[in-house]
């Protein structure tokens, strides 16, 4: 499958990569999955504002992050756990873990969510250019979700907040103010026997508090340091020195991540 890149100028929806590193990170994700094509969207104010305390301030979905590479590999290893399950990815940006679930597992349904319209458009595009994944259009959907606004949360056929068997997430917390709304939506949309698979950057502000918040609300949490296979260079070929340098930086960033499996109490009793 071809590797798609779009650009953005003032006359239309043309998207720019601001640095070689952004392009290389995208390339890493493409080679890793061997099937996905990604377009990274940069809005006009992307240079001035990336992180923010409110959902409307956040445009972190402009690139594929190290945590999403880890999460995508983890999803493939969890294929058996996702079979016939309803899956939602929160704050998915370019959607690599969710797309991995669509391509490499037999998940019944995979919902990709983010907030900004440019991220939503990007997710829809990434699904469309991976049309060779079996039943991808029937099994996938894209929704704009604001963690701080329950009216935007996905509803079921009865108009109530829809609950899912599996939630996916990676490095969703980078500000302490995000802990409460993120914990609230996780607890609201996770089924009583559901599981939340989360890749946590332990050095990020609010990361430890988020884990504690979910534990305090009754979710059992299993923390596992990254196995060596998640730290390997994902590139098939690394003969270009610049690419190898970037990959090493990615590898260093991955060292501090943890694999967090949050299990609802009902699920624990059902397995005993």
């Amino acid at each position: 499958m071809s590797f798609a890149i779009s650009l953005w100028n003032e006359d239309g929806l043309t998207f720019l990569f601001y640095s070689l590193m952004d392009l290389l990170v995208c390339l890493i994700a493409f080679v890793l999955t061997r099937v996905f094509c990604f377009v990274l969207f940069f809005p006009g104010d992307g240079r001035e504002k990336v992180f923010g305390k409110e959902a409307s301030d956040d445009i972190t979905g402009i690139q594929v992050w190290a945590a999403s590479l880890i999460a995508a590999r983890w999803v493939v290893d969890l294929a058996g756990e996702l079979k016939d399950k309803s899956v939602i990815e929160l704050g998915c940006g370019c959607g690599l873990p969710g797309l991995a679930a669509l391509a490499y597992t037999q998940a019944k349904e995979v919902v990709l969510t983010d907030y900004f319209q440019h991220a939503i458009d990007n997710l829809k595009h990434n699904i469309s250019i991976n049309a060779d994944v079996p039943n991808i259009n029937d099994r996938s959907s894209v929704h704009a979700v604001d963690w701080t606004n329950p009216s935007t949360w996905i509803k079921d056929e009865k108009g109530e907040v829809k609950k899912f068997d599996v939630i996916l997430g990676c490095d969703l917390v980078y500000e302490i103010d995000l802990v409460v709304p993120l914990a609230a939506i996780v607890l609201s949309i996770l089924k009583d026997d559901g599981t939340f698979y989360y890749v946590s950057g332990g050095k990020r502000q609010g990361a430890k508090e988020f884990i504690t918040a979910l534990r305090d609300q009754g979710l059992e949490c299993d923390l596992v340091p990254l196995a060596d296979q998640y730290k390997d260079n994902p590139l098939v070929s690394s003969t270009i020195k610049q690419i190898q340098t970037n990959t090493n930086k990615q590898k260093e960033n991955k060292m501090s991540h943890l694999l967090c499996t949050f299990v609802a109490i009902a699920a624990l009793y059902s397995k005993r």
Side-chain angles (χ1 to χ4, degrees):
M1 182 175 290
S2 61
F3 181 64
I5 298 176
S6 296
L7 303 176
W8 185 18
N9 56 36
E10 294 179 355
D11 297 324
L13 295 178
T14 308
F15 295 88
L16 290 172
F17 289 101
Y18 287 138
S19 68
L20 178 61
M21 179 173 292
D22 292 319
L23 178 59
L24 296 178
V25 171
C26 185
L27 176 61
I28 290 172
F30 172 72
V31 177
L32 171 64
T33 61
R34 301 185 305 279
V35 65
F36 301 129
C37 301
F38 292 92
V39 184
L40 305 186
F41 287 5
F42 286 80
D45 63 348
R47 292 178 183 271
E48 288 78 29
K49 184 174 60 179
V50 174
F51 294 95
K53 293 184 178 181
E54 302 295 333
S56 58
D57 294 334
D58 190 328
I59 52 173
T60 52
I62 61 178
Q63 72 175 59
V64 177
W65 298 84
S68 67
L69 300 176
I70 298 168
R73 283 179 153 176
W74 193 19
V75 163
V76 175
D77 290 342
L78 292 169
E81 301 295 328
L82 271 59
K83 183 178 180 181
D84 298 325
K85 299 293 181 64
S86 59
V87 179
I88 183 171
E89 184 182 356
L90 296 176
C92 60
C94 293
L96 179 55
L99 288 168
L102 286 164
Y104 295 112
T105 81
Q106 296 180 45
K108 176 178 63 177
E109 172 191 19
V110 179
V111 179
L112 305 178
T113 70
D114 208 291
Y115 179 81
F116 275 106
Q117 189 60 46
H118 70 269
I120 298 301
D121 293 340
N122 191 25
L123 289 168
K124 291 178 179 178
H125 176 71
N126 287 337
I127 289 174
S128 71
I129 59 178
N130 289 287
D132 59 338
V133 174
N135 303 314
I136 190 170
N137 290 323
D138 295 333
R139 297 163 57 220
S140 67
S141 61
V142 177
H143 295 269
V145 172
D146 180 351
W147 307 338
T148 67
N149 185 358
S151 68
T152 69
W153 299 358
I154 300 170
K155 307 301 190 297
D156 60 19
E157 61 277 4
K158 297 180 180 180
E160 299 176 350
V161 173
K162 184 173 181 178
K163 294 182 179 292
F164 292 83
D165 298 306
V166 174
I167 301 175
L168 303 177
C170 46
D171 268 359
L172 297 177
V173 176
Y174 49 84
E175 292 279 353
I176 194 69
D177 292 348
L178 294 175
V179 170
V180 171
L182 180 56
I185 189 173
V186 168
L187 293 165
S188 297
I189 69 174
L190 185 64
K191 287 185 177 181
D192 291 341
D193 59 349
T195 306
F196 174 31
Y197 296 105
Y198 183 63
V199 177
S200 175
K203 295 182 179 180
R204 286 195 170 206
Q205 184 181 9
K208 294 180 180 178
E209 290 82 357
F210 177 54
I211 293 173
T212 299
L214 291 181
R215 281 176 162 166
D216 288 346
Q217 291 299 316
L219 294 187
E220 293 288 336
C221 179
D222 181 28
L223 300 178
V224 179
L226 286 186
D228 288 340
Q229 65 264 27
Y230 294 120
K231 303 174 186 176
D232 291 341
N233 179 1
L235 291 175
V236 174
S237 173
S238 57
T239 57
I240 303 176
K241 185 175 181 181
Q242 183 96 29
I243 293 180
Q244 183 63 61
T245 300
N246 181 68
T247 303
N248 288 338
K249 291 180 180 178
Q250 285 289 104
K251 185 173 180 180
E252 291 171 2
N253 290 337
K254 293 176 186 178
M255 293 298 185
S256 63
H257 284 91
L258 296 171
L259 304 183
C260 310
T261 304
F262 296 92
V263 181
I265 299 299
L268 290 177
Y269 286 120
S270 68
K271 293 178 181 178
R272 289 176 182 174

